[in-house]
Amino acid sequence: MSWEVVIGLEIHAQLTTKTKIFSGASIAYGAAPNSQACAVDLGMPGMLPVVNQAVIGKGLALGLALNAELGRKQVFDRKNYFYPDLPKGYQTTQMDYPIVGKGYLDIEVDGDIKRIGVTRAHLEEDAGKSNHGVVPGQTGIDLNRAGTPLLEIVSEPDLSSAQEAVAYARKMHELVTFLGICDGNMQEGSFRVDSNVSVRRPGEPLGTRAELKNINSFRFIEKAIEFEIERQIELIESGGQVVQETRLYDSETNTTRSMRTKEEANDYRYFPCPDLLPITVTEEDIEAVRASMPELPDAKRKRYVSDLGLNEYDAGVLTSSRAMAEFFESVLSHTQGNDAKLCANWITSDLAGALNKANLDIADSQISAELLAGLIARIQDDTISGKIAKQVFDAMWKGEGSADDIIAAKGLKQITDTGAIEAMVEEVLANNPSQVEAYKAGQEKMLGYFVGQVMKASGGQANPGQVNKILKNKLS
């Protein structure tokens, strides 16, 4: 009998505020340990938290993007538990009144669209961090992260495979970064994923789940879930039982191992935080957030296809991040909206290739949108051929200036003089009599050979369209 896999994800998205959720301490990454934790973050006696209002708008933006119910009443609660890096003994979070209620996110796997339910998303503070081994045999506590604002986004257990889980996580990552509410940096822990995985026989109740904690790579999410599915199936089939626990993924061994047994929600003894008053969200607040939101990725992809004539692949690549979409639209704007396909081709092929080779993001591109638009404009007005354009692009990438500068400095302007091209065509035909005979005998593919010879003779600078036209006339 086969097995069914049931997966739900909890995603922690760090919000893009400058200060913490309940204090004015900085959340800048990489500061010296304990240099960015104030008395509020440490829960010192007599300290009162104050809600950073920026987090409310960011939470509402996500709710609107997920077509979700919005929490008109915001209440913060204390979730009581002890960790060494949580000196207050409780985490301030939202229990009964989350900022985002039920919503959904559509994902695509192997060409099929699947709607994944979002149970809720709530605001909360992060804990500190335990650093093991900094001092031999001891554990250091860094509280810089304590109080960092998070949105915990909880999905329904609607995911049925590791591939679907990764597609959902990627789509959520795309959404929060497009909205600008999270920088999405997984290496720095700004976007972390917990996976709840269980297996069952078809028709049976849900199996006992294990939680895979704090995975910060899409590839590791997939590998960890695949391992956990196999572990649970083998355990059950050998007569064992899955226990509810939190497990860690070890990327070196590609295994998961037990971290701790999972407490039930009741063990946390939630109660409303007595230091924070409830917050009311008005219709005006919601409309102000809605008005400030950018065009979302799904809508942008559809527009690129329907209005700009791009194919689904190009539209997908160009909306893979907000920075990429903005770069494309900037190039398009600088070329007065002419030939979106040509602009897309240069970004998704030559520029993307150069960025990958240099391990750079589009935001760090060595060729600006304006410079690339300048190159495309010279192709459009026939100043250079597509082949020469690649030479110009390489020079631009090396910092040799604009397309116009490089074309002038290297003498790359396209040859459009009909007389000059005719002379080159006649010379090529005269030097290749057997190929001319083959063409006239019906081997039309020889035309490409002649074009190549003329382009070679011109150093790649002859206008290919004119070369084709003149060759056909001469061979007719």
Side-chain angles (χ1 to χ4, degrees):
M1 184 183 292
S2 62
W3 289 91
E4 287 182 350
V5 176
V6 180
I7 303 169
L9 297 190
E10 296 175 8
I11 293 174
H12 286 90
Q14 179 178 319
L15 297 175
T16 51
T17 57
K18 292 182 179 177
T19 57
K20 295 183 177 177
I21 187 169
F22 301 121
S23 79
S26 170
I27 64 168
Y29 181 80
N34 296 310
S35 64
Q36 296 185 161
C38 70
V40 173
D41 307 323
L42 273 59
M44 298 295 285
M47 295 299 105
L48 287 176
V50 177
V51 176
N52 184 339
Q53 288 297 308
V55 303
I56 303 298
K58 294 177 189 296
L60 292 174
L62 179 69
L64 289 168
L66 295 173
N67 302 293
E69 301 166 4
L70 301 178
R72 303 302 181 105
K73 179 183 178 183
Q74 301 295 306
V75 176
F76 285 96
D77 303 274
R78 288 186 179 180
K79 179 182 179 182
N80 297 277
Y81 63 97
F82 175 76
Y83 283 163
D85 50 18
L86 186 67
K88 295 190 298 185
Y90 62 85
Q91 178 187 33
T92 306
T93 181
Q94 295 180 320
M95 178 61 179
D96 294 324
Y97 297 94
I99 193 165
V100 176
K102 285 188 178 300
Y104 63 84
L105 189 67
D106 291 336
I107 63 170
E108 181 175 347
V109 176
D110 296 331
D112 296 324
I113 303 295
K114 183 174 181 179
R115 178 156 295 179
I116 306 301
V118 172
T119 311
R120 57 184 280 154
H122 56 264
L123 295 163
E124 65 182 23
E125 62 180 343
D126 206 349
K129 182 179 181 182
S130 297
N131 288 323
H132 307 290
V134 177
V135 178
Q138 298 184 39
T139 294
I141 302 296
D142 179 4
L143 294 172
N144 280 354
R145 207 171 67 183
T148 296
L150 302 176
L151 255 181
E152 181 174 337
I153 309 162
V154 183
S155 83
E156 294 287 320
D158 292 341
L159 300 157
S160 304
S161 68
Q163 292 71 33
E164 287 186 4
V166 171
Y168 172 86
R170 284 187 181 278
K171 191 76 178 288
M172 193 64 77
H173 184 273
E174 176 188 80
L175 192 59
V176 296
T177 53
F178 250 85
L179 288 169
I181 65 174
C182 174
D183 66 18
N185 191 319
M186 299 182 78
Q187 287 70 39
E188 295 178 2
S190 299
F191 189 89
R192 315 190 296 265
V193 178
D194 301 342
S195 305
N196 288 298
V197 181
S198 66
V199 299
R200 65 178 176 185
R201 298 290 191 184
E204 291 185 349
L206 288 173
T208 303
R209 69 181 187 274
E211 180 186 45
L212 307 176
K213 194 73 175 172
N214 283 342
I215 308 176
N216 61 355
S217 151
F218 295 121
R219 185 165 63 92
F220 291 162
I221 292 171
E222 184 169 8
K223 286 181 171 293
I225 291 175
E226 286 177 343
F227 175 84
E228 186 59 21
I229 292 169
E230 291 301 316
R231 184 190 73 85
Q232 292 187 18
I233 291 174
E234 288 179 9
L235 183 62
I236 296 171
E237 290 184 340
S238 62
Q241 286 188 327
V242 177
V243 297
Q244 186 169 336
E245 61 182 345
T246 298
R247 300 179 68 85
L248 290 177
Y249 175 66
D250 185 333
S251 61
E252 293 190 2
T253 60
N254 190 33
T255 58
T256 66
R257 67 174 187 274
S258 182
M259 176 183 176
R260 60 174 181 263
T261 56
K262 182 69 176 178
E263 302 90 341
E264 292 294 337
N266 291 337
D267 293 339
Y268 291 125
R269 304 182 312 283
Y270 286 93
F271 64 84
C273 178
D275 294 334
L276 292 165
L277 293 174
I279 297 171
T280 300
V281 174
T282 67
E283 193 62 31
E284 289 74 21
D285 295 331
I286 294 171
E287 290 311 311
V289 171
R290 193 194 307 276
S292 68
M293 290 170 61
E295 182 182 32
L296 298 179
D298 282 352
K300 198 178 281 292
R301 270 191 288 276
K302 289 179 182 175
R303 180 170 64 82
Y304 284 0
V305 172
S306 62
D307 295 1
L308 301 181
L310 301 183
N311 58 39
E312 294 283 352
Y313 173 79
D314 286 342
V317 173
L318 295 172
T319 56
S320 59
S321 72
R322 183 171 174 176
M324 178 68 89
E326 289 177 344
F327 189 95
F328 166 66
E329 293 187 11
S330 180
V331 171
L332 201 58
S333 174
H334 280 104
T335 56
Q336 287 75 51
N338 293 326
D339 206 339
K341 178 59 179 171
L342 182 61
C343 296
N345 287 347
W346 275 94
I347 294 172
T348 60
S349 57
D350 296 77
L351 182 61
L355 290 169
N356 286 338
K357 190 175 180 180
N359 196 26
L360 294 174
D361 292 327
I362 188 71
D364 304 315
S365 172
Q366 293 171 224
I367 296 179
S368 69
E370 186 173 4
L371 282 175
L372 185 60
L375 172 63
I376 292 170
R378 296 292 79 81
I379 301 169
Q380 291 172 320
D381 66 12
D382 284 336
T383 300
I384 55 175
S385 65
K387 185 175 181 180
I388 291 294
K390 292 184 180 299
Q391 187 178 334
V392 176
F393 177 89
D394 289 341
M396 288 170 62
W397 184 261
K398 294 173 183 172
E400 295 180 21
S402 69
D404 287 340
D405 292 339
I406 294 164
I407 292 167
K410 297 180 180 288
L412 297 175
K413 190 173 180 180
Q414 189 165 234
I415 298 171
T416 56
D417 182 309
T418 305
I421 295 175
E422 276 190 351
M424 286 186 280
V425 167
E426 288 171 356
E427 184 176 355
V428 166
L429 296 179
N431 291 336
N432 296 278
S434 60
Q435 287 83 351
V436 171
E437 287 301 318
Y439 177 84
K440 291 183 175 178
Q443 294 187 34
E444 296 184 357
K445 64 180 182 182
M446 294 307 301
L447 183 65
Y449 170 77
F450 297 132
V451 172
Q453 291 300 306
V454 175
M455 294 303 293
K456 184 178 179 181
S458 71
Q461 290 180 253
N463 181 295
Q466 288 179 267
V467 171
N468 266 281
K469 184 177 179 181
I470 293 171
L471 267 170
K472 287 179 180 176
N473 286 337
K474 296 288 184 185
L475 290 167
S476 62

